[in-house]
Structures are given as structure tokens and as C-alpha cells.
Amino acid sequence: MEDATRTFGKGSCPPGPVPEGLIRVYSMRFCPFAHRTRLVLRAKGIRHEVININLRNKPEWYYTKHPSGQIPVLENSKCQLIYESVIACEYLDDAYPGRKLYPYDPYERARQKMLLELFYKVPHLTKECLVAIRCGRECADLKLALRQEFCNLEEILGYQNTVFFGGDCISMIDYLFWPWFERLDVYGIADCLNHTPALRLWTAAMKQDPTVCALLIDRSIFLGFLNLYFQNNPDAFDYGLTC
Amino acid sequence: MSGGSARSLAKGSAPPGPVPQGLIRVYSMRFCPFAQRTLLVLKAKGIGHEIVNINLKNKPEWFFTKNPFGLVPVLENSQGQLIYESAITCEYLDEAYPGKKLLPDDPYEKACQKMVFELFSKVPPLVTSFIRRQNNEDGSGLKEELRKEFSKLEEVLTNKKTTFFGGNSLSMIDYLIWPWFERLEVLELNECVDHTPKLKLWMAAMREDPAVSSLLIEAKAFRGFLDLYLQNSPEACDYGL
């Protein structure tokens, strides 16, 4: 995988300028927000390099890329910086030729953006469930809330009668949702999809997509990362790297 | 352009009919800053539109078929397509209608406008908290937080060395953030821009814009609305009519 490189941490040298013809993404192998950007880079066949950041031990130079040190951040060879995962994904779709992930039609584009609004509670809820479970706490209420959000998405698929959220082909909105659904199993909350059959069909269809497939994170490596992460081990982010 | 000063529709009202060809309808409320974003873009692009005001303290049942969240603004076109979330409505109008583009064509410049929009995002909830604070709460903590957010915006103008947030002419990002700055004076929050001179100059430049000045809300009317709104009065949205 393109992003199988060791993280940069405190005391590391800043990477040089981005070579012409490439775009750089500052990332972390297990981060769902950065995952969105990597999906789009892959789906559009955009030549890129990945620099992984140690999120528990951030390099001082990284704050010159993002004011509060968040990922993902895109940097191009003109030294332009773009952040917020959704903004980065839209930038890539606009700036690069080939397959368009957002629809051309203004109303259909607006529909995808309205769908994204429906999703906004999911990242926070999935994270809260993960933390609760890992800390041995009760999370029935959180799971209930997450199931409710999934019901809302189920309703959309039912109403549209399409496989994907943007129609019968995969598009931007599906990639923007996907990272959290990929993580349900490894977070221990896959049962939150028990009452949403259309959403289960969607996840099965997503796993058939070549881009999604190519970036699927190995389950045992992810679990290894999570174990170290919750022990506050700063080596967590490099777990599973062979070099 | 009809309806800007029309009485709002409330519970028990008949739903309006289909949108006539050649027009787009915006469901709005005369004092809502989010809806004002959409009205600014409609005005700036010269888009033929009709306005249906909604009584937000006594919403018509049919309004939830326009937006399941029951919020304004909502756009409805003659094909029956519905678009909601103020920023989404503004971008839709810019893409769907000809004439002056408010968002830049350049992907990076467009991304920059969206990054500034994110930078601004704490301002609306802070202003709402300030408005809703109880009478004996002094707002100095909230004012300090607002100052902090305004400093971030000042930094953008300092780095760009331009009058407006998108460059030397007014563009989408300026319209998206304007409604909250318009309300600073009537809310007695003007002091929060005392240490941000470029932001102050920007505010003055904005008032010169034809779309902005045509939609300026009279201070007394806003105050009258706000007092009633905070008391949850169903008369609030029609104050002054």
C-alpha cells in the first residue's frame, strides 16, 4: 500500500517541497478522515505521496501545514495547502481530470451535500462507542443513537431504491461515508447494522469496489493498532509496518 | 420580487402551490441570518425569485415536507426539487444560474473560501449563545470568545492583503459570513471588532454592496423581532408588518 511508511514525529526533519506532478497527503494509516482523501486519490488515479504523522507526538513543523495539527492535509507542488477532509476531497475532484466523483448536475451535487449533513453525527458516535467499549464502559445508549442514524440512512436508500447513495454507481458521497462503515467490525459494533438491510447491501457492494478494496485495512493490523493506541503507546501508529 | 415583506405562513395555512416556471422559491424568515445568505446570493446574481416567509414559532405542518428538519432557508424550483442548508442553497444557485460567478473557478481558490467558512463556523453558535443568555449573565466570556474568532478572520485578511475574503472583489464567502456582522451593532457586540481593524474596514466595504444594502434590516425592527422571539411569541416573525 502507498501509505505503508513510518510516521514523522517530534524532532523529525520537515519533508522537502512536493515534486512536480505529485500531490502530497499528510495522513495516518488508521484515520477515517484521511481515509476519505486516500479513497478519492485512488479512485481518480491521482499520483500522490503519503506522509504519515504521529498524532500523539506531532512534529513541530506540522503546525505550519495545519494550525492545530490535524490530518488530512493536501500539499501540492505550488505549496498550496488544503484541509478539512471534505474540502480536500472536493478540491481533488475539481482539480484533477478523469472520472468525476461528484455529479455534474447542480441539483444532484446539492443532494449529495445534503446527504452528508445527515451523516454528521456518525463519526462522533462511532468513536464514542469505540472508546466506551475499550474502556470497559456501558455503551447501549450510544449504540442506540448510532442505530437511529443508520435508520435515517436506510430510509434514504429505501426511498431512492438505488444501491449506492448517489444512484446506481458509486460516487463521492459513498466514499465520504465508507471509512466509518469499514471500521464497525473492528470497533466491535457491527451489530448496529442488524436492522438496516439496505445499508448492509450497500456495505457489501462497497467492498466490491476496486478502490475500496485496494485500501481495505487488514483486520489484525487494525486491532494491533487499537490495542497499542488505547495503551497510549506512541508506536501504535506504525504498527504492522515491516520496514 | 415578491414576498420579502409578506406575512409568514403558520400552522393551519394552506401549502403554497407549485413554483411558476422561470422563478425559484425560497422559504425564508425576514430576520433569519441563514436565510439572509440565500437572499443575498439571489440578489447578487439577479435571480428571479419569490419569497415565502415561514412562522418559525408556529410552523405549518406542510413545511416539514419541504425540509424534514423544518428549518429555513429552503429552495424549491419549478421542477419541485428542494434544496436546504443555507451554504448548500448558495452553492446550488451559483452553479445552476448564469451570470456573475460568486465562487471562484480555480479549485484552490474555491477550497480557500471553504476553509475560511470553516474558520467562521464558531461565530453563529457564539452569537446565538450571547442572545440567549439569561438577563443577569454578563456576556464578557462570550465576547472574549467572539474576539478570538474574529482575530482568526483578521489574520486571513492580513495574509491576503485584500479588502474582501476572496480577493479584491466581493464573492461568496463575504456573503456567507455577512449576516452575523450586520447584527453586531444591534446586539451591542461592536466592541468585539475593536482590535480587528481590517475586519472593520471589510464591514464598511460590505455595506456599500448593492445586494447587502438592499437587504439591510432596520435596527428597531430587529430589536422588536428579537424581544418577541426570545419570548417564543408567534408574532415575532411578522414584527413590523
Side-chain angles (χ1 to χ4, degrees):
Chain A
M1 232 184 255
E2 266 137 340
D3 73 334
T5 54
R6 302 202 84 80
T7 54
F8 282 57
K10 217 173 239 154
S12 60
C13 285
V18 180
E20 280 259 16
L22 276 190
I23 190 162
R24 175 183 296 158
V25 58
Y26 296 96
S27 180
M28 192 278 281
R29 290 152 58 224
F30 307 97
C31 169
F33 295 94
H35 193 172
R36 283 171 158 167
T37 313
R38 293 188 298 110
L39 284 165
V40 173
L41 285 163
R42 185 80 185 209
K44 289 181 68 81
I46 297 169
R47 291 188 60 230
H48 62 284
E49 61 178 31
V50 180
I51 295 214
N52 289 315
I53 300 296
N54 187 324
L55 298 180
R56 282 269 168 83
N57 197 21
K58 292 177 191 175
E60 304 84 348
W61 58 259
Y62 191 62
Y63 293 90
T64 67
K65 309 297 182 186
H66 188 290
S68 40
Q70 288 173 356
I71 53 161
V73 175
L74 289 172
E75 184 173 1
N76 62 22
S77 50
K78 289 187 250 184
C79 302
Q80 293 171 335
L81 295 159
I82 300 108
Y83 48 80
E84 292 302 325
S85 59
V86 176
I87 300 176
C89 291
E90 185 164 358
Y91 167 81
L92 292 172
D93 205 40
D94 289 339
Y96 287 82
R99 180 184 173 198
K100 281 297 168 208
L101 297 177
Y102 269 126
Y104 284 104
D105 178 70
Y107 171 66
E108 291 302 326
R109 288 175 77 92
R111 268 206 80 244
Q112 296 219 356
K113 293 175 182 198
M114 288 187 275
L115 276 177
L116 194 56
E117 290 291 316
L118 262 186
F119 183 78
Y120 87 93
K121 288 183 185 159
V122 173
H124 173 75
L125 283 172
T126 52
K127 185 176 184 183
E128 290 293 295
C129 284
L130 169 69
V131 172
I133 291 171
R134 286 272 162 173
C135 298
R137 289 200 308 263
E138 241 291 304
C139 65
D141 283 350
L142 288 168
K143 286 177 78 169
L144 194 60
L146 189 58
R147 280 199 187 91
Q148 182 52 57
E149 296 307 309
F150 288 170
C151 278
N152 296 341
L153 296 176
E154 178 82 1
E155 226 180 282
I156 298 288
L157 288 175
Y159 172 81
Q160 286 178 184
N161 204 21
T162 57
V163 177
F164 297 102
F165 281 97
D168 285 318
C169 297
I170 199 172
S171 63
M172 184 65 88
I173 188 64
D174 303 289
Y175 289 127
L176 294 177
F177 286 175
W178 175 250
W180 287 269
F181 288 92
E182 182 174 321
R183 284 157 177 72
L184 290 179
D185 172 48
V186 86
Y187 284 12
I189 49 176
D191 61 336
C192 290
L193 287 179
N194 282 355
H195 304 290
T196 49
L199 213 44
R200 286 201 305 277
L201 280 171
W202 174 78
T203 57
M206 288 298 280
K207 285 187 188 160
Q208 306 272 348
D209 176 70
T211 300
V212 167
C213 247
L215 297 185
L216 273 173
I217 305 165
D218 178 277
R219 192 173 189 273
S220 55
I221 292 182
F222 209 130
L223 284 171
F225 156 72
L226 286 174
N227 290 339
L228 288 180
Y229 183 82
F230 280 95
Q231 291 162 31
N232 284 315
N233 187 324
D235 293 333
F237 303 103
D238 290 334
Y239 184 80
L241 289 176
T242 47
C243 51
Chain B
M1 322 259 170
S2 72
S5 37
R7 295 198 80 80
S8 60
L9 298 184
K11 214 174 239 152
S13 61
V19 180
Q21 281 265 16
L23 281 188
I24 191 162
R25 175 182 296 156
V26 56
Y27 295 95
S28 182
M29 194 277 282
R30 291 154 59 230
F31 305 98
C32 172
F34 296 94
Q36 192 179 352
R37 286 171 162 168
T38 315
L39 293 175
L40 282 165
V41 172
L42 286 164
K43 207 78 186 218
K45 290 182 69 85
I47 297 169
H49 62 284
E50 60 176 35
I51 300 173
V52 172
N53 288 316
I54 300 296
N55 188 329
L56 298 180
K57 290 294 183 185
N58 191 21
K59 294 175 190 175
E61 307 84 342
W62 55 258
F63 186 59
F64 291 87
T65 68
K66 306 298 183 185
N67 179 359
F69 296 110
L71 300 172
V72 295
V74 183
L75 287 173
E76 184 174 0
N77 61 23
S78 49
Q79 296 160 270
Q81 292 172 333
L82 295 156
I83 301 109
Y84 49 81
E85 292 303 312
S86 58
I88 300 177
T89 64
C90 292
E91 192 160 359
Y92 167 80
L93 290 172
D94 203 41
E95 289 170 4
Y97 287 82
K100 176 181 185 201
K101 283 296 167 214
L102 297 176
L103 274 170
D105 280 324
D106 178 71
Y108 173 66
E109 292 302 326
K110 182 175 157 200
C112 283
Q113 295 220 0
K114 294 190 174 197
M115 288 188 274
V116 175
F117 185 69
E118 281 303 313
L119 213 56
F120 171 79
S121 62
K122 295 203 173 113
V123 172
L126 280 173
V127 171
T128 300
S129 296
F130 183 78
I131 289 171
R132 292 215 168 126
R133 78 197 192 284
Q134 301 307 312
N135 277 327
N136 45 10
E137 267 174 61
D138 110 277
S140 52
L142 287 165
K143 283 187 192 175
E144 200 40 54
E145 287 191 62
L146 263 176
R147 275 192 201 94
K148 247 181 60 185
E149 297 308 310
F150 290 168
S151 298
K152 294 179 189 169
L153 295 171
E154 180 81 359
E155 215 185 301
V156 174
L157 291 175
T158 305
N159 292 339
K160 280 186 83 72
K161 300 184 174 41
T162 56
T163 311
F164 299 100
F165 282 94
N168 279 319
S169 22
L170 212 153
S171 62
M172 184 67 87
I173 182 62
D174 303 289
Y175 286 129
L176 290 177
I177 70 178
W178 171 251
W180 286 265
F181 288 94
E182 180 179 324
R183 284 155 177 72
L184 289 185
E185 187 171 344
V186 71
L187 293 173
E188 293 171 33
L189 286 172
N190 251 349
E191 62 185 88
C192 296
V193 289
D194 276 349
H195 301 289
T196 50
K198 294 188 177 62
L199 207 46
K200 260 198 179 149
L201 284 170
W202 170 80
M203 287 171 70
M206 287 298 281
R207 283 178 189 273
E208 309 270 294
D209 178 71
V212 166
S213 53
S214 72
L215 292 175
L216 280 174
I217 302 163
E218 209 236 312
K220 258 183 47 204
F222 187 82
R223 198 67 248 179
F225 152 76
L226 198 55
D227 290 339
L228 287 179
Y229 194 77
L230 289 172
Q231 293 163 41
N232 288 315
S233 165
E235 312 292 318
C237 298
D238 290 333
Y239 183 86
L241 290 180

